[in-house]
C-alpha cells in the first residue's frame, strides 16, 4: 500500500488527493490557530494538530519512517517539552495581542504576503510536472533505504549530529542549573532572620476563603476591602494568576452602603466615601523575593 | 491532483510561521512558529524526495528533525532561565542590548 | 702604538662619564681628575706624535679599525680612526690647549657650586672634538660634530640661571643646526654618489664624479663649516656665546671647536680641489667674514665680544686660505694653530682681568690695569702682538703667508682677496690695540659694583697664570717654529698637497705691506684711545659704529629674513590647521555622529524588529534570485 502511494506519475490517486485536501485544511487551520490563540497552551495544541497532519502527509508521500519519527519525536517529545515549559511559565497566562512596536504588524503582514507570493510564484515557475515517485527507491522498504544512506553517505553528518545532541543536552543542563553560592538557609535561620528584622514576624496571611472562592489564587481581603497581596503565593503573583475578587466585593459594599443610606434618607454629601475599586493585581515586576520563598 | 500542491502547502505553512515569529511576543509561541517553519521545510524536502525518486531529501529532513530537537532543548532552557531572572517570557522585555 | 688612538677619545670620555655619574663624592677632586685625564690624552697624543715622527713622511698616516658600527649590506659604517699629519696637528692642539684650559678652569671655577659638572662637560667636549678630528669617515665625524655642538650648548648655557646665557645657548644650538643640516645633506650626497662615506673611497672616487655634484657637496660642506665656525651668514651665535664661562670661550669658541669648519674644508680638500665654484664660495665667505668680524670687533665695548669678533675675523682668514686650494690649506691650518695659542691666551687673559675686576666686562670701565696684574698684562700683550702680526711672533708668520697666498691666487680675484686680507690686517691691528689700550693703559675708569665698592684688581692664582704663560710661549714661538724651513708646510704636504701660486708681488713686498698696514692700524688706535681721553659712556658714534655695536644688524637681518616670514607662515599654517583641517575633520566627525545618532534608532533592542529586518532581507534575496533566474 505504501509503495502504491507514490506512483511515478505527474498526478496522484484520487484517494491521496482527498486525503491531501483534508490534511491541508487541518494543517493550515492548526497553523493559523497557533498564530492567533492568546494562550500559549492553545497554540501548542494547535501546532500538535498541524504536526500530526504533516506526519500523515509524509507517510502519503512514501516517507513512512519520517512520518513515524514526526509523531514520536515532534508531537511526542518536543511538543511535550513545550507544554512543560508552558506549565512552568503559567498555563493560564495570556498574551496581550496589542502590538507595541510601531508598524511591526503591518510590516510583518507585508513581508509575509510578499514572501508567500514569491514562493508560490517560484514553485509555479518551476514546471514540476513529472514526479519520479519512490517506488523504486523504497523497493527494499523505506527504513532499510534510509539506513543505507545514513550509514554510508551521510555517516559523518550522522556522527556530528550525535555530538550536537550531546552538546545541546549538556547546554540545556548548564543553562537551567542554578548554582548555590552558599548553603540555603534553614527554616530556623529564616525564622530568626524574621524576628531580627522585625518585618513580618507572624506567619503570612492565608489566602481568602469565601463561599464561592476558596482557591490559593484568591487573595484575602484587608478590612477596607482591598486584596492582601501577601496572602497569595509569590509564584502565582509573578505569573499574574491572582484572581482578584476585591472589585466584586467593593461593588457590593458600595451597593449595600447606598441601600442603607437610601433607607436612612441621608443626603449624598453625608454618605461615607466608598473606596474606589482597585485595579486588578498586575504581575509584579521584579521585586525582591519573599522570605519564605526559598 | 498534482503533488506540487504539497509544495504550495509547505510554502503557506512556512509563511504563516515566519509571520508568527514577527508578530507574537511570547517566546514560547515564537519558538513554536520556528518549529512550524522547520516542519514546512521538511514537508518540502519530502516532496522533493518524491520528485527526484531518491531518499536523500528524506535523510536531510531527518537531520533537520534532529537539529530541531537540539535547538528546542537549548532554546527552551534559555527561555526558562530568562523567565527565572526577568519573570517574563516576552521577547520584548529582553531589550537590554538597546543603547 | 696604534692601539693608543682610541684611548685619545676614551680618556676624556671616561672622565665625562665618571664626573656626570659619580655624584657628589667626586666634588672634592673631580676637577683634578678631569684635568689629569685631559693631560693623559695629551700624553697619548705626544706618544703617537713621536711615533709618527719616527716614520717616513708617506707612511705617517695610520688607520685603526675599532669595530663595525652599522654592518648592513650596502651601508657600511665603521668606527675607525685615521691619524695622519692633519689629525695629529689637531690632536696636539686640542689636548694641549685643552689641558691648559682645564688647569686654568681649576682656578677660574673654584667658587662655582657646579664645578664638577663644568669639568664633565669640558671632558665631553674634548672627547667629541677628538672624535671629530680622528674619525675615518664622515658619519663618525658627524657624531663628533654633533658632540661638540652639544658640549658647546651645555657650556654656553652653563650659567643657565641667567636668561641671557640660556638664550645664547639656544641660539647657538639652533644656528648650528642649520650648518649640521648642511653636513648631513653632504654626507647623503656622498653616499648617493660614491656609495660610501669613508674618507678613502670618497676622495678616490671624487675624480670620476661630475663637477656639479662635487660643487653641491662642497657647498653643503661649506654650509656646515659656516655654522660651526661662525662664518657669514651663520655667524650670529658666536657673539652671544660669550655668555659662557671664559675658559669655554677660550677653548671652544676661540681655539678649537670653531675651527672645525676649517678642518672640514681642509679634510675634504680632494672634493674642493675638483670643485672650483665651491672654492670660490669658500673664499667669498672667508673674505666677507674676516672684514665683518673685524668691523664688529672695533665697536664692541665688552672685552669678550670684541675678542669674539676677532675670532670670527681670524677664522675668516683661515676659511679664505682653505678656499684658495692647495696654495692655502697648509697656511690655513698653520694660522689655525697659532691662532689657537694666542687667542686662547687672549681669552684667558680677559678672564683673568674679569676675575680681578669683579666680573666687569665693559672695557670702558677698565684702564691702567698693567700696574695691578703684571703677568696677565705681559701674557695678554704677547698674545696681542702675535695677533696683530708683529714681526717675529706667531701671527706674523701665519697671517703673512695667508695674505701672500691670497695674492698668489692670481688675476683680479687675487688682488681683491689680497686687499681684503690687508685691510683686515689693518683693522685687526686697530681693534686689538683698542682692546689693549682700553684695558691696560690710560687712566683708571673703574666703576663701583652693585655693593658700591670699587674693584680691587689683583693678579689671578697660579693655576690661572701658568696656562697663560705657557700659551704665551706658543704665541711667541709657534709661528717661527712652523715657518722655519717651511717645516709645517712639509709636515702637512702629504695630506693637503701644496702648490706655489704665482704672486704678482714678491714675498718681501707683501710682508712690508702687511707690516705697514698693521702699523697704520696701531697708530690710528693709538691716536684715538691713547692720546685722547676715553669716555666712560660710549659716544653715539657714526651709523657704522652703531650698526657694528649691534653686530652689523645680524640679528635684525635674521629676524627680518627668517623669523618674521617663518612666524607668518606658521600663523598661516596654524590658521589653516585649526580652521581648514580641524574644521573638516571635526565637521566630518559631527556629521558622522549625527548620522549615527539617527541610525542608532534602528537598534531598538527588540528581537522581533531584528527578525523583521532579517526576513525583509531574505525577501529581497529571494526576489533578486528569482529575477536573475528569469532574466
Amino acid at each position: 500500500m505504501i509503495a502504491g502511494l507514490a506512483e511515478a506519475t505527474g498526478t496522484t490517486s484520487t484517494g491521496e488527493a482527498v486525503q491531501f485536501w483534508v490534511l491541508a485544511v487541518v494543517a493550515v487551520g492548526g497553523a493559523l490557530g497557533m498564530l492567533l490563540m492568546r494562550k500559549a497552551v492553545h497554540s501548542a495544541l494547535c501546532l500538535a494538530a498541524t504536526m500530526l497532519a504533516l506526519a500523515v502527509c509524509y507517510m502519503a508521500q512514501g516517507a513512512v519512517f519520517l512520518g513515524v519519527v514526526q509523531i514520536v519525536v515532534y508531537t511526542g517529545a518536543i511538543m511535550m517539552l513545550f507544554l512543560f515549559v508552558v506549565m512552568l511559565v503559567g498555563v493560564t497566562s495570556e498574551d496581550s495581542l496589542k502590538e507595541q512596536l510601531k508598524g511591526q504588524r503591518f510590516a510583518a503582514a507585508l513581508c509575509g504576503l510578499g514572501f508567500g507570493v514569491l514562493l508560490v510564484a517560484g514553485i509555479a515557475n518551476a514546471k514540476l510536472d513529472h514526479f519520479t515517485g519512490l517506488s523504486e527507491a523504497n523497493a527494499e522498504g523505506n527504513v532499510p533505504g534510509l539506513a543505507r544512506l545514513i550509514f554510508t553517505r551521510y555517516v559523518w553528518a550522522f556522527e556530528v549530529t550525535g555530538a550536537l545532541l550531546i552538546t545541546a543536552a549538556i547546554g540545556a543542563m548548564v543553562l537551567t542549573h542554578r548554582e548555590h553560592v552558599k548553603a540555603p538557609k534553614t527554616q530556623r535561620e529564616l525564622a530568626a532572620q524574621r524576628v531580627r528584622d522585625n518585618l513580618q514576624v507572624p506567619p503570612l496571611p492565608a489566602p481568602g476563603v469565601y463561599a464561592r472562592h476558596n482557591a490559593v489564587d484568591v487573595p484575602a481581603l484587608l478590612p477596607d476591602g482591598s486584596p492582601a497581596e501577601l496572602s497569595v503565593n509569590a509564584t502565582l503573583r509573578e505569573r499574574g494568576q491572582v484572581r482578584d475578587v476585591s472589585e466584586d466585593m467593593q461593588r457590593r459594599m458600595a451597593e449595600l452602603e447606598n441601600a442603607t443610606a437610601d433607607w436612612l434618607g441621608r443626603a449624598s454629601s453625608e454618605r461615607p466615601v466608598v473606596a474606589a475599586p482597585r485595579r486588578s493585581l498586575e504581575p509584579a515586576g521584579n521585586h525582591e523575593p519573599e522570605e519564605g520563598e526559598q | 491532483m498534482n503533488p506540487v500542491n504539497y509544495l504550495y502547502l509547505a510554502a503557506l505553512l512556512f509563511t504563516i510561521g515566519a509571520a508568527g515569529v514577527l508578530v507574537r511576543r511570547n517566546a514560547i509561541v515564537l519558538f513554536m512558529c520556528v518549529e512550524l517553519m522547520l516542519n514546512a521545510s521538511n514537508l518540502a524536502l519530502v516532496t522533493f524526495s518524491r520528485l527526484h525518486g531518491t531518499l536523500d531529501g528524506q535523510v536531510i529532513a531527518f537531520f533537520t528533525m534532529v537539529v530541531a530537537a537540539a535547538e528546542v532543548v537549548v532554546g527552551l532552557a534559555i527561555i526558562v532561565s530568562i523567565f527565572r531572572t526577568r519573570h517574563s517570557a516576552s521577547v520584548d522585555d529582553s531589550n537590554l542590548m538597546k543603547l | 702604538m696604534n692601539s693608543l688612538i682610541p684611548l685619545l677619545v676614551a680618556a676624556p670620555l671616561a672622565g665625562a662619564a665618571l664626573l656626570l655619574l659619580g655624584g657628589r663624592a667626586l666634588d672634592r677632586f673631580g676637577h683634578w681628575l678631569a684635568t689629569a685625564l685631559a693631560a693623559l690624552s695629551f700624553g697619548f697624543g705626544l706618544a703617537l706624535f713621536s711615533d709618527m715622527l719616527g716614520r717616513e713622511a708617506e707612511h705617517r698616516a695610520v688607520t685603526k679599525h675599532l669595530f663595525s658600527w652599522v654592518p648592513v649590506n650596502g651601508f657600511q659604517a665603521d668606527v675607525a680612526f685615521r691619524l695622519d699629519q692633519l689629525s695629529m696637528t689637531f690632536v696636539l692642539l686640542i689636548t694641549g690647549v685643552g689641558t691648559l684650559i682645564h688647569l686654568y678652569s681649576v682656578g677660574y671655577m673654584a667658587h662655582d657650586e657646579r664645578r664638577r659638572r663644568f669639568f664633565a662637560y669640558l671632558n665631553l667636549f674634548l672627547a667629541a672634538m677628538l672624535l671629530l678630528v680622528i674619525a675615518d669617515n664622515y658619519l663618525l665625524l658627524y657624531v663628533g660634530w654633533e658632540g661638540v655642538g652639544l658640549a658647546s650648548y651645555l657650556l654656553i648655557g652653563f650659567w643657565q640661571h641667567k636668561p641671557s646665557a640660556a638664550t645664547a645657548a639656544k641660539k647657538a644650538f639652533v644656528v648650528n643646526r642649520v650648518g649640521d643640516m648642511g653636513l648631513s645633506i653632504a654626507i647623503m650626497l656622498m653616499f648617493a654618489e660614491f656609495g660610501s662615506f669613508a674618507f678613502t673611497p670618497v676622495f678616490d672616487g671624487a675624480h670620476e664624479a661630475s663637477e656639479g655634484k662635487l660643487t653641491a657637496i662642497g657647498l653643503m660642506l661649506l654650509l656646515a663649516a659656516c655654522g660651526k665656525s661662525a662664518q657669514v651668514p651663520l655667524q650670529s651665535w658666536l657673539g652671544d656665546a660669550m655668555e659662557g664661562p671664559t675658559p669655554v670661550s677660550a677653548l671652544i669658541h676661540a681655539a678649537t671647536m670653531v675651527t672645525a669648519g676649517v678642518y672640514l674644508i681642509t679634510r675634504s680638500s680632494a672634493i674642493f680641489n675638483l670643485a672650483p665654484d665651491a672654492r670660490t664660495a669658500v673664499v667669498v665667505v672667508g673674505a666677507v667674514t674676516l672684514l665683518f668680524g673685524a668691523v664688529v670687533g672695533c665697536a664692541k665695548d665688552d672685552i669678550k665680544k670684541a675678542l669674539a669678533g676677532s675670532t670670527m675675523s681670524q677664522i675668516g682668514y683661515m676659511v679664505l686660505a682653505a678656499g684658495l686650494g692647495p696654495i692655502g690649506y697648509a697656511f690655513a691650518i698653520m694660522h689655525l694653530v697659532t691662532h689657537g695659542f694666542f687667542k686662547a691666551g687672549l681669552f684667558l687673559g680677559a678672564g683673568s682681568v674679569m676675575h680681578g675686576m669683579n666680573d666687569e666686562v665693559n672695557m670702558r670701565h677698565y684702564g691702567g690695569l698693567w700696574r695691578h696684574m703684571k703677568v696677565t698684562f705681559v701674557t695678554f700683550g704677547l698674545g696681542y702682538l702675535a695677533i696683530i702680526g708683529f714681526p717675529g711672533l706667531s701671527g706674523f708668520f701665519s697671517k703673512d703667508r695667508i695674505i701672500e697666498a691670497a695674492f698668489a691666487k692670481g688675476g683680479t680675484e687675487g688682488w681683491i682677496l689680497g686687499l681684503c686680507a690687508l685691510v683686515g690686517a689693518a683693522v685687526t691691528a686697530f681693534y686689538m690695540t683698542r682692546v689693549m689700550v682700553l684695558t691696560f693703559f690710560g687712566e683708571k675708569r673703574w666703576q663701583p659694583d652693585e655693593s658700591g665698592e670699587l674693584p680691587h684688581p689683583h693678579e689671578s692664582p697660579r693655576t690661572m697664570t701658568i696656562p697663560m704663560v705657557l700659551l704665551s710661549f706658543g704665541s711667541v714661538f709657534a709661528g717661527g717654529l712652523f715657518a722655519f724651513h717651511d717645516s709645517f708646510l712639509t709636515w702637512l704636504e702629504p695630506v693637503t698637497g701644496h702648490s706655489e701660486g704665482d704672486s704678482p708681488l714678491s714675498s718681501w713686498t707683501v710682508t712690508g705691506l702687511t707690516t705697514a698696514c698693521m702699523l697704520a692700524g696701531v697708530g690710528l688706535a693709538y691716536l684715538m684711545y691713547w692720546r685722547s681721553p676715553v669716555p666712560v659712556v660710549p659716544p653715539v658714534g657714526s651709523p657704522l659704529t652703531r650698526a657694528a655695536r649691534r653686530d652689523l644688524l645680524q640679528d635684525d637681518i635674521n629676524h627680518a629674513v627668517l623669523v618674521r616670514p617663518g612666524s607668518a607662515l606658521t600663523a598661516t599654517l596654524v590658521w589653516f590647521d585649526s580652521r581648514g583641517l580641524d574644521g573638516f575633520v571635526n565637521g566630518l566627525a559631527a556629521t558622522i555622529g549625527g548620522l549615527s545618532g539617527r541610525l542608532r534608532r534602528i537598534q531598538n533592542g527588540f528581537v522581533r524588529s531584528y527578525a523583521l529586518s532579517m526576513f525583509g532581507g531574505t525577501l529581497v534575496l529571494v526576489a533578486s534570485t528569482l529575477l536573475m533566474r528569469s532574466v
Side-chain angles (χ1 to χ4, degrees), chain C residues 286-369:
Chain C
V288 169
T289 311
L290 90 85
L291 292 176
F292 184 100
V295 171
V296 170
C298 292
K300 290 289 182 183
D301 290 332
D302 181 327
I303 184 169
K304 284 179 71 181
K305 293 205 169 163
L307 290 177
S310 155
T311 304
M312 209 186 283
S313 169
Q314 298 302 313
I315 298 171
Y317 271 109
M318 299 169 208
V319 171
L320 169 65
L324 293 173
I327 52 174
Y329 291 131
F331 304 130
I333 302 301
M334 181 167 152
H335 191 56
L336 191 155
V337 176
T338 56
H339 172 258
F341 286 127
F342 59 68
K343 186 52 67 63
L346 286 171
F347 264 110
L348 295 190
S352 176
V353 169
M354 286 159 58
H355 195 73
M357 292 294 284
N358 293 350
D359 289 332
E360 176 66 74
V361 292
N362 192 338
M363 291 187 291
R364 291 185 188 273
H365 297 171
Y366 293 163
L369 288 176

Side-chain angles (χ1 to χ4, degrees), chain C residues 15-32:
Chain C
L18 268 176
L19 290 178
L20 283 177
L21 304 174
R24 297 237 169 83
L26 293 171
D27 271 350
R28 255 179 333 112
F29 59 94
H31 45 288
W32 288 115

Side-chain angles (χ1 to χ4, degrees), chain C residues 590-614:
Chain C
T591 313
I592 289 177
L595 276 178
S596 310
R598 300 273 156 73
L599 212 59
R600 191 183 63 135
R601 308 243 169 103
I602 295 174
Q603 301 289 334
N604 55 10
F606 290 109
V607 181
R608 294 189 295 136
S609 198
Y610 299 153
L612 178 63
S613 20
M614 277 170 67

Side-chain angles (χ1 to χ4, degrees), chain C residues 1 3-15 18 31-49 88 91-92 94-100 102-103 123 126 130:
Chain C
M1 207 62 187
S3 54
L4 279 183
I5 297 175
L7 292 179
L8 283 174
V9 179
L13 195 63
L18 268 176
H31 45 288
W32 288 115
L33 176 70
T35 313
L37 284 168
L40 182 67
S41 196
F42 182 53
F44 290 148
L46 282 179
L48 286 163
F49 179 57
M88 196 69 234
V91 165
L92 289 178
I94 294 161
T95 53
V97 176
T99 307
L100 291 179
H102 271 75
L103 188 62
N123 265 359
L126 277 192
L130 288 168

Side-chain angles (χ1 to χ4, degrees), chain C residues 19 49 72 76 92 130 168-169 188 232 251 294 332 349 367 376 382 391 408 421 445 464 533 565 585-586 619 624:
Chain C
L19 290 178
F49 179 57
V72 177
Q76 295 288 339
L92 289 178
L130 288 168
M188 291 177 210
V232 175
L251 177 61
T376 307
L382 288 173
R445 298 178 302 276
M464 287 168 69
V585 171
N586 292 343
L619 187 69
S624 53

Side-chain angles (χ1 to χ4, degrees), chain A residues 3-202:
Chain A
L5 281 177
E7 288 304 322
T9 49
T11 58
T12 56
S13 62
T14 320
E16 199 195 332
V18 172
Q19 186 198 32
F20 171 79
W21 289 116
V22 173
L23 289 175
V25 169
V26 171
V28 173
L32 285 176
M34 181 204 68
L35 184 60
L36 299 175
M37 289 291 180
R38 285 165 62 101
K39 288 192 175 177
V41 64
H42 292 164
S43 293
L45 291 175
C46 289
L47 182 62
T50 306
M51 284 178 173
L52 282 173
L54 287 181
V56 180
C57 280
Y58 294 169
M59 289 190 214
Q61 298 211 71
V64 184
F65 178 71
L66 275 190
V68 174
V69 169
Q70 169 90 353
I71 291 172
V72 174
V73 174
Y74 255 117
T75 34
I78 294 183
M79 287 322 294
M80 285 310 111
L81 202 54
F82 267 107
L83 284 176
F84 271 125
V85 176
V86 168
M87 294 298 169
L88 196 67
V89 172
V91 71
T92 56
S93 67
E94 292 181 6
D95 270 10
S96 151
L97 287 182
K98 195 163 168 253
E99 183 56 59
Q100 284 176 333
L101 300 179
K102 210 171 101 184
Q104 171 84 7
R105 195 166 283 182
F106 174 72
L110 203 68
C111 279
L113 201 67
F115 196 74
V117 168
L118 271 181
L119 281 185
V120 168
I123 295 166
N125 244 359
K127 295 195 184 65
L128 302 170
D129 294 333
H130 180 75
F131 273 70
T132 314
L134 287 169
S135 47
E136 199 176 319
N138 277 344
E140 52 176 341
N142 181 243
V143 179
L146 272 180
R148 189 178 297 282
L149 274 181
I150 286 174
F151 293 111
T152 55
R153 191 188 300 170
Y154 295 101
V155 69
W156 176 239
F158 185 71
E159 300 288 346
V160 172
T161 42
L164 177 73
L165 274 177
I166 289 189
T167 314
I170 292 173
M173 279 157 59
V174 169
L175 279 171
T176 50
H177 180 67
R178 250 202 275 200
E179 191 77 41
H180 282 292
V181 182
K182 51 188 176 184
K185 288 182 179 170
T186 61
Q187 261 190 332
R188 172 181 287 277
E189 284 168 343
L190 287 172
Q193 174 86 36
R194 268 208 297 274
V195 175
R196 199 161 53 240
D197 293 350
N198 198 19
L199 285 176
Q200 181 72 41
V201 179

